[in-house]
Amino acid sequence: MQEQINKKNSNLSSPTGGQGATILAIESSCDETSASICRNGVILSNIIANQKVHEKYGGVVPELASRAHIQNIIPVVDMALQKAGCVLGEVDAVAFTQSPGLIGSLLVGCQFAKSLALALNKPLIAVHHMRAHVLANLIDRPTPQFPFLCLTVSGGHTQIVLAKSPVDMEVLGTTLDDAAGEAFDKSAKLLGLPYPGGPLIDKYAQEGSPDRFSFPEPNIEELNFSFSGVKTSILYFLQKHTKENQNFIHENLPDICAGFQKTIISILLNKLKKAALQTNITQICIAGGVSANSGLRKSFKEMGVKLNWQTFIPAYEYCTDNAAMIAITAHYKYINKQFSDFSVTASARATF
Ligand code: KG4
Ligand code: ZN
């Protein structure tokens, strides 16, 4: 179990000016069971239990994920309370990830949150996972000013979001096929790397030359993305070279990873630049699991300096799935009195 305690924030006042409450938040949309306590917009604890059980299958097995959530959820919530120095009696609202995600996984968090809120007689707050990724940028200072743009890159989604306020957001562009994280993971699988391959491609890319192998970038209209072509071109590239030399991947792994990563980063940042020009917005964020990528973080910051943007990236622990981002989103929903009734249920897909 991986613990992340945001000690540096515990003495700060809230960026919202101290409004709000003590919120217990739960995230269980995929293969991380996480709980967080947020008081007045300040994250006091963020406990994440990673599920190792999927590694040997090369991807998340939904049924195993649900079972692991059931096993993890009580100890994870207990730990989050303990680390925050908080007891259940102090909790003013219970928040959970309602959608999107794996339905069996979401249901565990949803039913747990509903039961707990009912038992405590406290309000329930349903949170959209992708909105929460965007608002992870509001956890640590400095925070972006509204309106801001966010490039959200995760295992299931790739979006450019216009955030007008914490509770008013619009998707300006999205992927037409695979998500950026999916492209990382599927290409990693072709390279013989275990799941999730994104962080491993990142690691090998740091040792390689990004200019030795290049892959074509798609020409997609407006602010939308496509990553399936890059994945296919990697497949054909590997087929061709391994036919000539069976050890091709082994001998060239860092350079292949660096070339692939450079292509993905270029696709992402070119669209983000286009969105910034179209909207005239210079407060720009990235978020989601792929925003943990060292190459993307570096290139994003460099682009920001060049184009006079103010750039924001969540701390690593708030990029991949975590309950702190659910808690900060719930904090703003609490202020805006956006509560759910107890008929609410989890949903694998949902409009933004
Ligand atoms: O946001 P996230 O934790 O879960 C979803 O909501 O999907 O994102 C997971 C994705 C996976 O595809 C994983 O490979 C990718 O984020 N990822 C990375 C890195 N760390 C996580 N991709 C590239 N480089 C990384 N350092
Ligand atoms: Zn996510």
Side-chain angles (χ1 to χ4, degrees):
M1 194 173 294
Q2 182 190 347
E3 288 173 31
Q4 289 147 359
I5 312 303
N6 195 348
K7 285 199 182 106
K8 69 176 188 282
N9 267 356
S10 56
N11 296 323
L12 291 178
S13 62
S14 155
T16 61
Q19 302 169 64
T22 299
I23 293 169
L24 164 62
I26 292 156
E27 153 64 30
S28 72
S29 66
C30 191
D31 60 340
E32 265 100 21
T33 320
S34 180
S36 170
I37 303 291
C38 167
R39 183 170 287 150
N40 292 337
V42 176
I43 300 299
L44 300 182
S45 64
N46 181 41
I47 306 294
I48 304 171
N50 300 116
Q51 302 178 0
K52 297 282 174 224
V53 64
H54 308 286
E55 261 170 29
K56 60 174 178 271
Y57 299 100
V60 178
V61 182
E63 177 61 24
L64 295 181
S66 317
R67 280 192 225 166
H69 283 307
I70 291 169
Q71 282 168 353
N72 290 340
I73 198 155
I74 291 177
V76 163
V77 167
D78 257 350
M79 232 177 185
L81 285 163
Q82 250 181 56
K83 292 290 178 183
C86 178
V87 291
L88 272 180
E90 293 172 81
V91 170
D92 296 306
V94 182
F96 69 100
T97 306
Q98 189 219 347
S99 65
L102 300 172
I103 190 64
S105 292
L106 288 166
L107 275 169
V108 177
C110 173
Q111 291 309 109
F112 184 90
K114 279 163 85 169
S115 311
L116 189 59
L118 209 55
L120 296 173
N121 198 23
K122 296 293 177 189
L124 188 64
I125 302 175
V127 171
H128 192 291
H129 184 84
M130 297 313 295
R131 286 176 174 253
H133 269 305
V134 173
L135 296 189
N137 280 289
L138 300 188
I139 293 176
D140 286 331
R141 289 181 168 161
T143 55
Q145 303 289 307
F146 292 96
F148 65 80
L149 289 179
C150 183
L151 168 72
T152 319
V153 269
S154 73
H157 296 78
T158 303
Q159 299 176 329
I160 294 180
V161 174
L162 167 61
K164 298 168 209 165
S165 84
V167 292
D168 186 4
M169 295 182 220
E170 187 188 332
V171 177
L172 302 183
T174 187
T175 180
L176 305 178
D177 41 54
D178 291 352
E182 215 175 337
F184 267 102
D185 296 337
K186 287 179 176 170
S187 301
K189 203 170 177 177
L190 294 174
L191 292 167
L193 300 173
Y195 177 86
L200 290 169
I201 290 194
D202 187 357
K203 179 176 157 253
Y204 288 113
Q206 288 174 43
E207 299 155 18
S209 152
D211 299 317
R212 221 182 115 211
F213 303 119
S214 59
F215 302 96
E217 290 185 32
N219 191 2
I220 306 295
E221 286 193 349
E222 298 173 350
L223 297 177
N224 294 321
F225 301 92
S226 166
F227 294 100
S228 67
V230 184
K231 185 188 65 194
T232 311
S233 74
I234 272 262
L235 173 69
Y236 289 156
F237 167 85
L238 294 177
Q239 279 176 348
K240 177 174 167 271
H241 286 282
T242 47
K243 215 183 259 174
E244 293 158 8
N245 169 11
Q246 277 194 345
N247 289 329
F248 177 75
I249 295 178
H250 180 69
E251 288 167 8
N252 297 284
L253 190 58
D255 291 347
I256 303 169
C257 290
F260 166 78
Q261 185 170 292
K262 185 186 169 193
T263 309
I264 300 285
I265 293 172
S266 168
I267 296 169
L268 291 170
L269 292 186
N270 281 335
K271 281 290 157 119
L272 187 57
K273 184 174 162 185
K274 190 171 173 184
L277 288 172
Q278 270 182 22
T279 55
N280 232 353
I281 289 174
T282 54
Q283 300 275 310
I284 320 274
C285 308
I286 57 174
V290 181
S291 69
N293 183 273
S294 59
L296 177 61
R297 292 168 88 94
K298 185 168 173 271
S299 303
F300 170 62
K301 281 186 199 151
E302 284 168 2
M303 182 172 266
V305 170
K306 222 159 102 190
L307 299 177
N308 251 329
W309 295 346
Q310 244 191 299
T311 53
F312 304 86
I313 312 177
Y316 281 104
E317 63 263 43
Y318 305 134
C319 290
T320 46
D321 288 349
N322 67 88
M325 68 184 194
I326 307 302
I328 197 80
T329 307
H331 164 76
Y332 289 101
K333 290 191 89 167
Y334 188 97
I335 292 170
N336 285 278
K337 297 189 172 48
Q338 294 185 348
F339 302 115
S340 293
D341 70 36
F342 284 81
S343 65
V344 67
T345 190
S347 162
R349 289 171 196 281
T351 51
F352 193 76

